[in-house]
Amino acid sequence: MSDSRSSWQGVATHIPAGCNKLEAMLKRKNAVLVDGVVLNGPIIDSKAGEQLIEEAYKMIIEEAVRKATDVTEKVCEWQPPEQLKKLLDVELRDSGEHHQRLLQLCQSVIRYSVKTSHPRFFNQLYAGMDHYSLVARFITEALNPSVYTYEVSPVFLLLEEATLKKMIEFIGWKEGDGIFSPGGSISNMYATNLARYKYCPDIKEKGLSGAQRLVMFTSEESHYSMKKAASFLGIGTQNVYFVKADDSGKMIPEELEKQIQRAKQEGAAPFLVCATAGTTVLGAFDPLDKLADICEHHGLWFHVDASWGGAALLSKKHCKLLHGIHRADSVAWNPHKMLMAGIQCCALLVKDNTDLLKRCHSAQATYLFQQDKFYDVKYDTGDKSIQCSRRADAFKFWLMWKALGTRGLAERVDRALALSRYLVAEIKKREGFQLLMEPEYANVCFWYIPPSLRNMEQDQEFWQKLHQVAPVIKERMMKKGSMMLGYQPHRDKVNFFRQIVISPQVSREDMDFLLDEIDLLGKDL
């Protein structure tokens, strides 16, 4: 036998004292040791692992599903960072922890996490729990698929194809292409790269050195990911021309035309316009039809970031918000927001059906995308993606859509917007509450004016004092755990609350509670 491969009898004398586990393994019949590692049998204790899964699953159902969606429970149990580190026992050690300790740690993770499925979590553009999506996540986490070739992910590739096809139908295209991505920011980066490739395909191989200066256009209200896309892709953030928006947050078409003319006069090459369907703060929808006219006239790629507002396409009542979206060259749409598909679930949809996604991003890795496979290689979609490993995110949305149907998904949108309208009506009735503007979508932006400021003239001192109100109320609600609600300044407006209504678990009573709680937490300010 060689030095690196020997029977257990030949190496037993080299086992350190007290290594009972290794001794037991070496006593197996025909045990083999290579480089000090026993190769016979698995080293994973499957029975113990399965027991942990069973016990953890029961705890997840109780603590992260039932309690986390119970309106009588806290939205969060707030702890400062240093204290939370101690409570979680975050340090990693040489020796592993025992079974019960692991369950305790899991319980602590759930206990001190923010319960985003709580009916009074209003903090972000996502909220609530969809049970069908959760089941889908359990399945994909257990199967651990990577969606790039049909041979390793046959089921999830077909489900993604079916889901993209249906989303394309609701945009209003007869055909198209798409890919699920890790987020709306990445979808916007995809669109920017596609637009650039369409304008100057040589950049893919030759790089930026000999390319003309490119300029892209987006609203001053657009998501910050457009600026990041310009940075990542080497376009440069200075070459993102931000177009003025009106008081409601919509891009002004005439201002876009001016910016395009400016870029041309500077000798630059305009190539992309990004419109927003549902801005992050105000929930505004850009005038897509008018912007499409300008793009068509100048030959520019027209991208619509509908990450937030895309859900309205499913509602016969509210789809008019996105009138003209069928004229877009690409669309970002995040089902994990209003439709609650579970983070992350985001799609980039493209009108072009000539394999543009693949031509732009393909690297033709021969170890994955062999062309002489025994099945139709058109189902190997991984070369369209900027990723290699990719989660089966479409499954969450597909299973939800199967369970609820289009009508059920549309009902979620309609109810969320109806609750928003109810909240607006209540704000108008109550003393001390003031709307910034009438909302177009599910973003309700308002100030709370405490009694001490209500009789003040609304001069500079008033606004300076009001600016300090929302942060204090936010701190109090977080430490109390009663709810979570976002606030921010915006343009020339001092800090105000931004209430987002999404979850179908939310009721009229929760809207009333929100206003009552703000008044309770802030009336002494």
Side-chain angles (χ1 to χ4, degrees):
M1 284 188 185
S2 67
D3 292 338
S4 62
R5 185 178 185 275
S6 57
S7 66
W8 69 269
Q9 291 96 337
V11 296
T13 55
H14 299 291
I15 300 169
C19 291
N20 296 328
K21 184 177 179 181
L22 183 57
E23 287 176 353
M25 293 173 72
L26 289 173
K27 287 178 181 177
R28 294 173 183 168
K29 188 176 181 181
N30 299 322
V32 173
L33 197 73
V34 175
D35 293 336
V37 179
V38 178
L39 302 184
N40 298 64
I43 62 169
I44 293 175
D45 188 341
S46 296
K47 288 186 178 180
E50 289 167 10
Q51 183 184 350
L52 179 67
I53 290 171
E54 288 178 6
E55 293 183 29
Y57 176 75
K58 292 176 183 177
M59 181 178 64
I60 290 166
I61 293 298
E62 181 60 30
E63 301 291 333
V65 176
R66 292 198 181 103
K67 285 187 179 179
T69 57
D70 185 346
V71 74
T72 64
E73 296 283 337
K74 289 184 176 184
V75 177
C76 70
E77 190 166 324
W78 174 258
Q79 297 289 341
E82 295 307 315
Q83 177 64 18
L84 187 55
K85 287 178 185 179
K86 294 177 183 177
L87 290 168
L88 294 174
D89 184 19
V90 299
E91 297 302 321
L92 299 171
R93 302 178 179 90
D94 291 341
S95 300
E97 306 279 7
H98 58 78
H99 179 97
Q100 287 303 318
R101 178 59 180 156
L102 293 176
L103 288 173
Q104 291 170 2
L105 292 170
C106 290
Q107 190 162 26
S108 293
V109 166
I110 296 172
R111 177 181 177 183
Y112 296 111
S113 290
V114 173
K115 312 305 186 294
T116 62
S117 54
H118 194 284
R120 290 171 183 167
F121 175 83
F122 307 117
N123 211 64
Q124 318 297 147
L125 301 185
Y126 67 90
M129 175 182 292
D130 177 82
H131 297 87
Y132 308 108
S133 171
L134 184 58
V135 168
R137 280 187 275 177
F138 284 156
I139 292 170
T140 54
E141 290 302 318
L143 291 174
N144 197 31
S146 186
V147 186
Y148 37 56
T149 63
Y150 185 81
E151 64 185 283
V152 297
S153 197
V155 172
F156 297 116
L157 274 167
L158 295 182
L159 297 185
E160 180 177 56
E161 179 187 60
T163 307
L164 289 167
K165 184 178 179 181
K166 196 68 176 175
M167 295 173 80
I168 284 167
E169 178 185 319
F170 274 90
I171 289 173
W173 298 334
K174 291 182 180 178
E175 57 184 12
D177 197 2
I179 196 89
F180 271 75
S181 78
S185 295
I186 302 299
S187 292
N188 289 338
M189 187 170 76
Y190 266 117
T192 305
N193 202 37
L194 286 171
R196 183 176 67 176
Y197 179 79
K198 190 75 181 287
Y199 185 80
C200 42
D202 286 349
I203 280 183
K204 178 179 178 180
E205 294 183 358
K206 296 181 180 179
L208 295 168
S209 57
Q212 189 177 5
R213 177 183 159 227
L214 298 175
V215 172
M216 52 195 278
F217 307 87
T218 192
S219 163
E220 61 184 353
E221 294 285 326
S222 68
H223 193 260
Y224 65 84
S225 58
M226 294 309 296
K227 199 171 182 179
K228 284 193 172 187
S231 173
F232 268 88
L233 294 171
I235 293 166
T237 57
Q238 291 183 355
N239 294 316
V240 182
Y241 284 16
F242 291 97
V243 181
K244 287 182 181 178
D246 62 22
D247 290 341
S248 64
K250 298 173 183 290
M251 189 194 297
I252 302 170
E254 294 78 11
E255 293 296 326
L256 172 61
E257 182 67 46
K258 288 179 185 177
Q259 291 282 36
I260 293 171
Q261 294 299 340
R262 171 195 160 196
K264 288 183 174 181
Q265 289 166 8
E266 293 170 347
F271 76 104
L272 164 72
V273 171
C274 172
T276 310
T279 59
T280 304
V281 178
L282 301 179
F285 287 72
D286 287 340
L288 303 183
D289 239 355
K290 292 181 179 179
L291 299 179
D293 287 341
I294 295 172
C295 290
E296 194 173 288
H297 175 72
H298 292 281
L300 307 181
W301 184 282
F302 184 37
H303 174 61
V304 177
D305 179 3
S307 297
W308 173 220
L313 288 168
L314 299 175
S315 166
K316 292 179 180 178
K317 190 180 298 184
H318 299 291
C319 62
K320 60 188 176 185
L321 289 168
L322 297 109
H323 179 71
I325 196 170
H326 65 286
R327 300 178 66 186
D329 293 294
S330 57
V331 174
W333 177 0
N334 292 4
H336 75 221
K337 294 184 184 289
M338 177 67 78
L339 297 175
M340 300 168 53
I343 290 176
Q344 58 202 27
C345 188
C346 314
L348 183 277
L349 306 151
V350 184
K351 184 186 288 186
D352 186 287
N353 199 32
T354 65
D355 261 348
L356 180 65
L357 264 169
K358 187 174 181 178
R359 285 184 281 120
C360 180
H361 299 120
S362 171
Q364 299 176 345
T366 55
Y367 69 92
L368 271 181
F369 307 116
Q370 306 93 329
Q371 297 304 294
D372 54 357
K373 290 182 178 180
F374 61 94
Y375 58 84
D376 188 347
V377 294
K378 75 177 183 183
Y379 289 104
D380 288 356
T381 61
D383 232 6
K384 296 194 297 188
S385 170
I386 59 173
Q387 302 166 255
C388 181
S389 300
R390 194 164 62 88
R391 295 173 63 89
D393 291 323
F395 179 45
K396 292 175 282 192
F397 193 29
W398 179 87
L399 191 62
M400 280 176 56
W401 210 325
K402 276 286 191 183
L404 299 171
T406 303
R407 284 193 295 269
L409 293 174
E411 185 181 6
R412 290 186 173 183
V413 178
D414 293 343
R415 179 179 167 83
L417 294 185
L419 278 168
S420 299
R421 303 301 174 263
Y422 172 82
L423 180 63
V424 167
E426 288 301 305
I427 286 172
K428 289 177 178 178
K429 291 177 189 177
R430 295 197 183 207
E431 185 181 8
F433 290 86
Q434 182 179 326
L435 277 175
L436 262 75
M437 63 186 66
E438 290 288 335
E440 190 171 22
Y441 199 45
N443 309 44
V444 182
C445 300
F446 63 94
W447 286 291
Y448 171 71
I449 305 170
S452 64
L453 301 181
R454 288 175 195 171
N455 296 320
M456 270 187 77
E457 181 183 350
Q458 294 191 1
D459 54 13
Q460 186 176 0
E461 183 185 0
F462 169 85
W463 293 111
Q464 286 175 346
K465 289 184 176 181
L466 186 60
H467 185 65
Q468 300 168 23
V469 170
V472 175
I473 294 176
K474 176 64 178 278
E475 179 183 355
R476 290 176 177 180
M477 74 172 70
M478 290 288 289
K479 290 180 175 178
K480 185 178 178 182
S482 57
M483 62 182 185
M484 278 187 69
L485 178 66
Y487 75 88
Q488 66 280 301
H490 187 67
R491 295 201 207 173
D492 61 340
K493 303 291 193 298
V494 302
N495 280 328
F496 57 87
F497 289 111
R498 182 195 62 163
Q499 159 70 354
I500 305 295
V501 183
I502 296 177
S503 173
Q505 293 168 306
V506 174
S507 67
R508 175 192 64 79
E509 290 83 359
D510 294 308
M511 299 295 97
D512 294 337
F513 174 85
L514 179 139
L515 299 180
D516 291 340
E517 185 72 355
I518 289 175
D519 191 37
L520 177 68
L521 296 173
K523 63 184 178 182
D524 65 330
L525 296 177

